[in-house]
Amino acid sequence: MTSADCLFCKIVAGEIPATLVAETADTVAFRDINAQAPTHVLVIPREHHRDIAAMAAADPCLTGRLAADAAAVAAQDGLTGFRLVFNTGAEVGQSVFHVHGHVLGGREFRWPPG
Ligand code: AMP
């Protein structure tokens, strides 16, 4: 399942370059082009789902595997703590509509987020 006009489907297909840090049968992880922290990696499913809500409804097992793969990426970067963010909807800042978990770490974070 892919979407012809989707930027992240093109990264999965290798049609657009990205700095890959991990790959599994289900997911691809690559550095965010506009990093907001020393570690800022996007973990995405190879399959196209528009956001975490749609993916969780369609395939809860894949959603769990993506969470595990995000934790593995954080460990690979030497993080003991990390933030995993899924912006869901344009009104909260989602700009690419292929689900992606932001793995963020390596600096101090504040709560609540802005
Ligand atoms: P969001 O605003 O939650 O949808 O996050 C989209 C993220 O994708 C942003 O943090 C962008 O910096 C990142 N991004 C957009 N294009 C690329 C790209 N070609 N390679 C890596 N990251 C990208």
Side-chain angles (χ1 to χ4, degrees):
M1 191 188 348
T2 61
S3 177
D5 297 328
C6 173
L7 172 65
F8 287 177
C9 283
K10 289 181 176 156
I11 288 178
V12 170
E15 294 167 5
I16 289 178
T19 304
L20 300 189
V21 298
E23 285 188 86
T24 72
D26 302 308
T27 66
V28 176
F30 53 94
R31 302 234 177 251
D32 195 293
I33 205 166
N34 183 24
Q36 301 299 313
T39 290
H40 188 171
V41 173
L42 302 177
V43 184
I44 70 173
R46 292 181 186 277
E47 277 185 8
H48 183 87
H49 298 275
R50 64 176 280 111
D51 58 32
I52 188 71
M55 183 170 75
D59 194 338
C61 293
L62 176 60
T63 306
R65 290 197 294 278
L66 186 139
D69 293 345
V73 160
Q76 183 176 291
D77 262 19
L79 301 175
T80 51
F82 63 94
R83 191 168 283 185
L84 179 56
V85 174
F86 293 90
N87 292 323
T88 306
E91 63 270 47
V92 298
Q94 186 176 4
S95 61
V96 178
F97 290 86
H98 179 132
V99 59
H100 48 282
H102 295 256
V103 178
L104 294 150
R107 66 166 169 80
E108 197 174 315
F109 285 83
R110 295 180 186 278
W111 193 264

